[in-house]
Amino acid sequence: MPPPNLPDTLDPDAALVVPPGKGAAGTSAPLIGWDIGGAHVKASLLEAGTVTAIGQWATPLWKGLAHLDAALHAARARWPAFAHARHAVTMTAEMTDLFADREAGVRALCAHLADRLGTATRFYAGDAGWVDASAAAAHWPAVASANWLATASLVAHALPDAVLVDIGSTTTDLIAIRAGHPAPCGRSDAARLASGELVYLGVVRSPLCALARRIRFRGQACNVMNEFFATTADVFRLTGELDPAHDHYPAADNGARDAAGSRLRLARMIGHDARDAGTDDWDDFARRWRALMLAEIRRNLERVIRAAALPAGMPLVGAGCGAFLVGELGEALGHPTVGFDALARVAPAYRDWARVCAPSVAVAQLAGDADLATAPGASPRTATAHAAEPPCAS
């Protein structure tokens, strides 16, 4: 089921903070795992060790933190358990151009969330574990853009060798799991862009002009207009693979987000009008764009698999709103595939949403497991442990 729309109006002074004494002690209180992205906020509600509800809200944070507040208020309105829940957070939104640099972004987001959700809010810092807002600000590189690491850590609990393939609306993460631990070549976005573990392509927001300089249409190669005329959402609307529940953002021309509008925008990419060709021609053109995107992800996936020296039969773990592409990648490269939802503790009604919102599911489950591991009488355990890896060869 799709999450509800954001409220039209907000009371900026409305309290979101957990009331004193509620959910502050013990591990039985609900826990909400948050993935704060620059374009979407995703949240997973963990109750008694299982994710029982998941929400996703479009949040263009480059326009201001009021959009983050809107998502927080929407979650509070949707889930009564919010009133006494604990909170665990991961983020990528520090990269948005709302902030002067990534450090400023982490500091601002941590302070804002601690103010809205309570000072007991914990932030995921990879090897450093869980930290409060003050420590998160002091150790911002560990907190910045760590959502992929949370997802990979949860996968590693279930599979000793695998590759996480998380294809989202904007980016694709390709993370090797080796010997039961995440084994990335890079930790920062800059390092992962260099290693191929971060591919800035997704199934909704990527501009098509980033995919090709030339492309064939009706048997003729054409130069591509280097303009923001169309996005990958137009492609996957025409292939019928984009779930409308994940099609949140306006089209490039603010026009209709339907097949006719998508054909019109694809035509512009090569100087045509939609009326210049038939429906089948434009649908075939969309499939050409799809093939180009898939080929780029495959090239980087092959680099990651080679660098990690993974076993030949290891699986690909599909996540993100573009997880529908992972099976095709696995078939092409000779690897079995499994959905992220099969590896997490999620109520059956939300298994599809668990793939889409995997990092929020991961931080909720990892934080819940960490609570159990540190409870009186529990056996020692580190829920987020993963081995340090040497840099991969370029």
Side-chain angles (χ1 to χ4, degrees):
M1 58 183 290
N5 294 327
L6 296 181
D8 293 328
T9 60
L10 294 173
D11 176 1
D13 298 319
L16 285 165
V17 176
V18 178
K22 292 189 177 182
T27 58
S28 60
L31 187 150
I32 299 176
W34 297 90
D35 179 19
I36 310 298
H40 295 89
V41 164
K42 301 170 183 178
S44 294
L45 175 64
L46 185 83
E47 298 178 291
T50 296
V51 171
T52 58
I54 299 173
Q56 174 180 247
W57 297 274
T59 50
L61 290 190
W62 61 90
K63 296 182 179 180
L65 290 176
H67 294 278
L68 173 56
D69 289 338
L72 300 178
H73 279 270
R76 184 185 64 169
R78 182 179 181 189
W79 296 333
F82 192 112
H84 54 280
R86 296 162 295 135
H87 301 274
V89 178
T90 188
M91 67 180 66
T92 59
E94 79 283 347
M95 290 288 292
T96 64
D97 52 17
L98 177 65
F99 308 111
D101 53 42
R102 291 176 298 128
E103 179 180 358
V106 171
R107 288 179 176 274
L109 288 166
C110 289
H112 192 84
L113 288 163
D115 179 66
R116 296 298 192 271
L117 300 176
T119 57
T121 299
R122 291 176 292 170
F123 297 86
Y124 180 71
D127 290 321
W130 298 95
V131 295
D132 63 16
S134 175
H139 301 285
W140 68 266
V143 176
S145 295
N147 66 345
W148 59 270
L149 188 54
T151 308
S153 294
L154 191 61
V155 171
H157 288 176
L159 297 172
D161 299 293
V163 175
L164 170 65
V165 182
D166 188 339
I167 305 174
S169 65
T170 310
T171 62
T172 295
D173 292 305
L174 305 169
I175 309 301
I177 313 297
R178 188 171 62 227
H181 300 285
C185 293
R187 172 62 177 81
S188 68
D189 281 354
R192 295 195 305 122
L193 286 167
S195 68
E197 293 163 324
L198 174 58
V199 184
Y200 246 79
L201 288 175
V203 297
V204 180
R205 300 181 63 243
S206 298
L208 287 193
C209 59
L211 280 173
R213 299 276 69 80
R214 286 177 69 81
I215 191 169
R216 297 190 71 82
F217 176 65
R218 293 201 299 189
Q220 181 179 24
C222 307
N223 282 347
V224 170
M225 288 192 172
N226 193 24
E227 291 278 2
F228 184 53
F229 282 151
T231 67
T232 45
D234 294 308
V235 168
F236 293 106
R237 286 189 203 104
L238 292 183
T239 65
E241 295 168 298
L242 179 61
D243 188 330
H246 312 314
D247 192 3
H248 294 140
Y249 274 85
D253 60 357
N254 289 311
R257 288 178 290 171
D258 58 16
S262 293
R263 293 184 188 111
L264 181 153
R265 288 183 287 273
L266 288 189
R268 289 194 182 117
M269 294 300 303
I270 52 171
H272 277 286
D273 297 315
R275 65 185 181 184
D276 294 341
T279 295
D280 290 345
D281 293 319
W282 295 121
D283 291 355
D284 180 67
F285 193 44
R287 288 188 288 271
R288 288 188 178 275
W289 287 105
R290 180 190 188 279
L292 288 169
M293 176 174 164
L294 201 66
E296 181 64 16
I297 294 174
R298 174 177 170 173
R299 280 192 290 270
N300 284 278
L301 178 57
E302 289 174 320
R303 291 174 63 192
V304 169
I305 292 172
R306 285 196 303 269
L310 292 168
M314 61 83 194
L316 306 182
V317 178
C321 58
F324 55 80
L325 295 171
V326 177
E328 191 170 334
L329 288 165
E331 184 176 355
L333 298 178
H335 293 281
T337 58
V338 60
F340 169 81
D341 56 290
L343 310 179
R345 299 191 299 270
V346 182
Y350 284 92
R351 288 190 60 172
D352 288 347
W353 279 99
R355 289 193 297 273
V356 174
C357 303
S360 71
V361 172
V363 290
Q365 190 169 318
L366 291 172
D369 288 351
D371 286 343
L372 292 174
T374 56
S379 300
R381 177 183 174 196
T382 303
T384 59
H386 41 268
E389 296 290 340
C392 298
S394 59

